[in-house]
Amino acid sequence: VDPLGHQRIGGLLEKLVVLNGPHPRRLVEAWVRSPRQAIASLYIAFFQIPRLPEYLISRRGHAAVRQMLLIGAAKKEAFSDEDVRAYIEAAAKPGAMTCALNWYRVNFRNFRKMTAACTPPITAPTLVIWTDRDRALSLTLTRRLDRFVSAPLRIEILKGLGPWTQPEAPEEVNRLLADFFAQK
């Protein structure tokens, strides 16, 4: 526990890999400094409305799930019809969509606490794999991350991909992961 009462988990992690997920403090900085990132993040504010997002996402057989997957993907072939059906089936389970949206709700409402908890630097070697065509999370979120990581930091930008890093480039992501975890 640090002087502010935050639990330190640095000793629990041997290595850390992040796929298109911003450091919370870096995201807050981007919201303040980049109108483009603030606008791209408005979906988080929309998700704060009780029940309305769930209703809209579930309409027309969860068509919004299909749209989220395929509109954002740079490689539409990354999601077969069977893949899309599996995502829709998972989203259609009772309570599943509320559970998914609650992640945004809880973290947004507790953002000050969450960003304060991220004050201690990450002490595990870290690999960040990011894509250059994610509409919601700008490539600028990868800049100056070394302020938050006191261990070796490696940032890999995958070109021509949307937000679905693993499905859009499984071989490349797996190669990066294998290489990173093989390093001593």
Side-chain angles (χ1 to χ4, degrees), residues 50-65:
R51 296 182 297 281
L52 180 61
E54 288 93 333
Y55 169 73
L56 293 175
I57 292 169
S58 68
R59 289 182 52 221
R60 295 174 306 177
H62 287 78
V65 173

PDB file of all heavy atoms in Angstrom, residues 50-65:
ATOM      1  N   PRO A  50     -29.268   5.218 -17.896  1.00  0.00           N
ATOM      2  CA  PRO A  50     -29.817   3.907 -17.519  1.00  0.00           C
ATOM      3  C   PRO A  50     -30.747   3.345 -18.596  1.00  0.00           C
ATOM      4  O   PRO A  50     -31.586   4.060 -19.141  1.00  0.00           O
ATOM      5  CB  PRO A  50     -30.596   4.182 -16.230  1.00  0.00           C
ATOM      6  CG  PRO A  50     -30.105   5.497 -15.746  1.00  0.00           C
ATOM      7  CD  PRO A  50     -29.647   6.266 -16.951  1.00  0.00           C
ATOM      8  N   ARG A  51     -30.597   2.085 -18.920  1.00  0.00           N
ATOM      9  CA  ARG A  51     -31.467   1.265 -19.768  1.00  0.00           C
ATOM     10  C   ARG A  51     -31.536   1.658 -21.241  1.00  0.00           C
ATOM     11  O   ARG A  51     -31.788   0.813 -22.082  1.00  0.00           O
ATOM     12  CB  ARG A  51     -32.865   1.168 -19.177  1.00  0.00           C
ATOM     13  CG  ARG A  51     -32.901   0.458 -17.842  1.00  0.00           C
ATOM     14  CD  ARG A  51     -34.300   0.313 -17.260  1.00  0.00           C
ATOM     15  NE  ARG A  51     -34.974   1.561 -16.956  1.00  0.00           N
ATOM     16  CZ  ARG A  51     -34.737   2.312 -15.869  1.00  0.00           C
ATOM     17  NH1 ARG A  51     -33.865   1.934 -14.981  1.00  0.00           N
ATOM     18  NH2 ARG A  51     -35.403   3.427 -15.659  1.00  0.00           N
ATOM     19  N   LEU A  52     -31.354   2.919 -21.594  1.00  0.00           N
ATOM     20  CA  LEU A  52     -31.490   3.331 -22.995  1.00  0.00           C
ATOM     21  C   LEU A  52     -30.445   2.669 -23.903  1.00  0.00           C
ATOM     22  O   LEU A  52     -30.818   2.134 -24.959  1.00  0.00           O
ATOM     23  CB  LEU A  52     -31.445   4.856 -23.123  1.00  0.00           C
ATOM     24  CG  LEU A  52     -31.587   5.389 -24.554  1.00  0.00           C
ATOM     25  CD1 LEU A  52     -32.943   4.981 -25.148  1.00  0.00           C
ATOM     26  CD2 LEU A  52     -31.429   6.911 -24.566  1.00  0.00           C
ATOM     27  N   PRO A  53     -29.167   2.658 -23.551  1.00  0.00           N
ATOM     28  CA  PRO A  53     -28.203   1.984 -24.435  1.00  0.00           C
ATOM     29  C   PRO A  53     -28.522   0.502 -24.627  1.00  0.00           C
ATOM     30  O   PRO A  53     -28.435  -0.015 -25.745  1.00  0.00           O
ATOM     31  CB  PRO A  53     -26.862   2.174 -23.720  1.00  0.00           C
ATOM     32  CG  PRO A  53     -27.050   3.362 -22.854  1.00  0.00           C
ATOM     33  CD  PRO A  53     -28.498   3.333 -22.440  1.00  0.00           C
ATOM     34  N   GLU A  54     -28.908  -0.170 -23.552  1.00  0.00           N
ATOM     35  CA  GLU A  54     -29.266  -1.584 -23.665  1.00  0.00           C
ATOM     36  C   GLU A  54     -30.422  -1.771 -24.649  1.00  0.00           C
ATOM     37  O   GLU A  54     -30.396  -2.673 -25.490  1.00  0.00           O
ATOM     38  CB  GLU A  54     -29.675  -2.160 -22.294  1.00  0.00           C
ATOM     39  CG  GLU A  54     -28.540  -2.358 -21.335  1.00  0.00           C
ATOM     40  CD  GLU A  54     -28.296  -1.183 -20.407  1.00  0.00           C
ATOM     41  OE1 GLU A  54     -28.625  -0.033 -20.778  1.00  0.00           O
ATOM     42  OE2 GLU A  54     -27.773  -1.396 -19.319  1.00  0.00           O
ATOM     43  N   TYR A  55     -31.424  -0.916 -24.535  1.00  0.00           N
ATOM     44  CA  TYR A  55     -32.587  -1.004 -25.413  1.00  0.00           C
ATOM     45  C   TYR A  55     -32.171  -0.805 -26.874  1.00  0.00           C
ATOM     46  O   TYR A  55     -32.548  -1.587 -27.755  1.00  0.00           O
ATOM     47  CB  TYR A  55     -33.643   0.034 -25.007  1.00  0.00           C
ATOM     48  CG  TYR A  55     -34.740   0.179 -26.034  1.00  0.00           C
ATOM     49  CD1 TYR A  55     -35.704  -0.825 -26.195  1.00  0.00           C
ATOM     50  CD2 TYR A  55     -34.791   1.293 -26.860  1.00  0.00           C
ATOM     51  CE1 TYR A  55     -36.698  -0.705 -27.158  1.00  0.00           C
ATOM     52  CE2 TYR A  55     -35.779   1.415 -27.820  1.00  0.00           C
ATOM     53  CZ  TYR A  55     -36.722   0.417 -27.972  1.00  0.00           C
ATOM     54  OH  TYR A  55     -37.691   0.532 -28.929  1.00  0.00           O
ATOM     55  N   LEU A  56     -31.411   0.250 -27.130  1.00  0.00           N
ATOM     56  CA  LEU A  56     -31.033   0.557 -28.510  1.00  0.00           C
ATOM     57  C   LEU A  56     -30.111  -0.518 -29.098  1.00  0.00           C
ATOM     58  O   LEU A  56     -30.247  -0.869 -30.273  1.00  0.00           O
ATOM     59  CB  LEU A  56     -30.368   1.934 -28.576  1.00  0.00           C
ATOM     60  CG  LEU A  56     -31.295   3.106 -28.256  1.00  0.00           C
ATOM     61  CD1 LEU A  56     -30.523   4.415 -28.222  1.00  0.00           C
ATOM     62  CD2 LEU A  56     -32.459   3.171 -29.250  1.00  0.00           C
ATOM     63  N   ILE A  57     -29.208  -1.042 -28.298  1.00  0.00           N
ATOM     64  CA  ILE A  57     -28.305  -2.083 -28.787  1.00  0.00           C
ATOM     65  C   ILE A  57     -29.062  -3.373 -29.077  1.00  0.00           C
ATOM     66  O   ILE A  57     -28.736  -4.097 -30.019  1.00  0.00           O
ATOM     67  CB  ILE A  57     -27.152  -2.312 -27.789  1.00  0.00           C
ATOM     68  CG1 ILE A  57     -26.240  -1.077 -27.769  1.00  0.00           C
ATOM     69  CG2 ILE A  57     -26.350  -3.564 -28.137  1.00  0.00           C
ATOM     70  CD1 ILE A  57     -25.227  -1.066 -26.644  1.00  0.00           C
ATOM     71  N   SER A  58     -30.090  -3.655 -28.305  1.00  0.00           N
ATOM     72  CA  SER A  58     -30.814  -4.922 -28.468  1.00  0.00           C
ATOM     73  C   SER A  58     -31.871  -4.878 -29.579  1.00  0.00           C
ATOM     74  O   SER A  58     -32.336  -5.935 -30.011  1.00  0.00           O
ATOM     75  CB  SER A  58     -31.470  -5.321 -27.148  1.00  0.00           C
ATOM     76  OG  SER A  58     -32.517  -4.417 -26.834  1.00  0.00           O
ATOM     77  N   ARG A  59     -32.228  -3.713 -30.044  1.00  0.00           N
ATOM     78  CA  ARG A  59     -33.255  -3.602 -31.097  1.00  0.00           C
ATOM     79  C   ARG A  59     -32.839  -4.342 -32.361  1.00  0.00           C
ATOM     80  O   ARG A  59     -31.668  -4.510 -32.639  1.00  0.00           O
ATOM     81  CB  ARG A  59     -33.495  -2.133 -31.434  1.00  0.00           C
ATOM     82  CG  ARG A  59     -34.220  -1.397 -30.325  1.00  0.00           C
ATOM     83  CD  ARG A  59     -34.509   0.046 -30.654  1.00  0.00           C
ATOM     84  NE  ARG A  59     -35.174   0.178 -31.932  1.00  0.00           N
ATOM     85  CZ  ARG A  59     -34.876   1.133 -32.816  1.00  0.00           C
ATOM     86  NH1 ARG A  59     -33.944   2.017 -32.567  1.00  0.00           N
ATOM     87  NH2 ARG A  59     -35.513   1.211 -33.954  1.00  0.00           N
ATOM     88  N   ARG A  60     -33.813  -4.776 -33.103  1.00  0.00           N
ATOM     89  CA  ARG A  60     -33.622  -5.471 -34.393  1.00  0.00           C
ATOM     90  C   ARG A  60     -32.615  -6.608 -34.285  1.00  0.00           C
ATOM     91  O   ARG A  60     -31.683  -6.714 -35.068  1.00  0.00           O
ATOM     92  CB  ARG A  60     -33.201  -4.485 -35.475  1.00  0.00           C
ATOM     93  CG  ARG A  60     -34.294  -3.454 -35.794  1.00  0.00           C
ATOM     94  CD  ARG A  60     -33.810  -2.436 -36.738  1.00  0.00           C
ATOM     95  NE  ARG A  60     -32.588  -1.888 -36.133  1.00  0.00           N
ATOM     96  CZ  ARG A  60     -31.805  -0.986 -36.665  1.00  0.00           C
ATOM     97  NH1 ARG A  60     -32.074  -0.518 -37.826  1.00  0.00           N
ATOM     98  NH2 ARG A  60     -30.742  -0.539 -36.061  1.00  0.00           N
ATOM     99  N   GLY A  61     -32.816  -7.438 -33.252  1.00  0.00           N
ATOM    100  CA  GLY A  61     -31.965  -8.619 -33.098  1.00  0.00           C
ATOM    101  C   GLY A  61     -30.515  -8.299 -32.801  1.00  0.00           C
ATOM    102  O   GLY A  61     -29.610  -8.970 -33.302  1.00  0.00           O
ATOM    103  N   HIS A  62     -30.307  -7.261 -32.015  1.00  0.00           N
ATOM    104  CA  HIS A  62     -28.953  -6.821 -31.649  1.00  0.00           C
ATOM    105  C   HIS A  62     -28.137  -6.385 -32.864  1.00  0.00           C
ATOM    106  O   HIS A  62     -26.927  -6.611 -32.950  1.00  0.00           O
ATOM    107  CB  HIS A  62     -28.214  -7.894 -30.850  1.00  0.00           C
ATOM    108  CG  HIS A  62     -28.714  -8.044 -29.459  1.00  0.00           C
ATOM    109  ND1 HIS A  62     -29.875  -8.734 -29.170  1.00  0.00           N
ATOM    110  CD2 HIS A  62     -28.241  -7.589 -28.281  1.00  0.00           C
ATOM    111  CE1 HIS A  62     -30.092  -8.698 -27.872  1.00  0.00           C
ATOM    112  NE2 HIS A  62     -29.123  -8.009 -27.304  1.00  0.00           N
ATOM    113  N   ALA A  63     -28.794  -5.726 -33.814  1.00  0.00           N
ATOM    114  CA  ALA A  63     -28.124  -5.257 -35.029  1.00  0.00           C
ATOM    115  C   ALA A  63     -26.949  -4.335 -34.701  1.00  0.00           C
ATOM    116  O   ALA A  63     -25.958  -4.301 -35.429  1.00  0.00           O
ATOM    117  CB  ALA A  63     -29.114  -4.542 -35.943  1.00  0.00           C
ATOM    118  N   ALA A  64     -27.045  -3.605 -33.593  1.00  0.00           N
ATOM    119  CA  ALA A  64     -25.955  -2.692 -33.223  1.00  0.00           C
ATOM    120  C   ALA A  64     -24.663  -3.442 -32.915  1.00  0.00           C
ATOM    121  O   ALA A  64     -23.574  -2.911 -33.135  1.00  0.00           O
ATOM    122  CB  ALA A  64     -26.368  -1.837 -32.030  1.00  0.00           C
ATOM    123  N   VAL A  65     -24.775  -4.654 -32.425  1.00  0.00           N
ATOM    124  CA  VAL A  65     -23.564  -5.453 -32.155  1.00  0.00           C
ATOM    125  C   VAL A  65     -22.869  -5.745 -33.476  1.00  0.00           C
ATOM    126  O   VAL A  65     -21.648  -5.595 -33.605  1.00  0.00           O
ATOM    127  CB  VAL A  65     -23.914  -6.752 -31.392  1.00  0.00           C
ATOM    128  CG1 VAL A  65     -22.691  -7.651 -31.271  1.00  0.00           C
ATOM    129  CG2 VAL A  65     -24.492  -6.425 -30.026  1.00  0.00           C
TER     130      VAL A  65
END
